Amino acid sequence: MGKAKAKAKQAKGKMKETAGKAMGDRQMQVEGRGEELAGKAQEAAHDTGERMRKSGR
């Protein structure tokens, strides 16, 4: 997954978490936080792959 998609997933998760807080919907809040963290993990994996490609490994 590309870095842009990972960032989009993070943003979507943050919006969902915020909406959950505003509506008092704990389930939505937790799902949003999970999506945000998944996006951060995907971004980290992408960055690691890029560093490895640049180092020639």
Side-chain angles (χ1 to χ4, degrees):
M1 177 175 281
K3 191 166 187 161
K5 285 187 178 183
K7 286 285 192 184
K9 189 168 196 162
Q10 288 177 47
K12 179 184 171 195
K14 188 65 176 173
M15 289 188 311
K16 193 172 189 178
E17 180 183 8
T18 302
K21 280 182 186 178
M23 295 188 306
D25 186 340
R26 184 82 175 129
Q27 180 67 30
M28 182 184 282
Q29 200 174 343
V30 170
E31 287 174 7
R33 183 69 178 144
E35 285 181 28
E36 184 180 2
L37 292 175
K40 285 183 180 190
Q42 289 168 344
E43 180 181 10
H46 178 269
D47 290 346
T48 300
E50 284 295 310
R51 276 190 296 253
M52 289 185 74
R53 277 190 282 284
K54 287 180 182 177
S55 71
R57 292 183 181 186

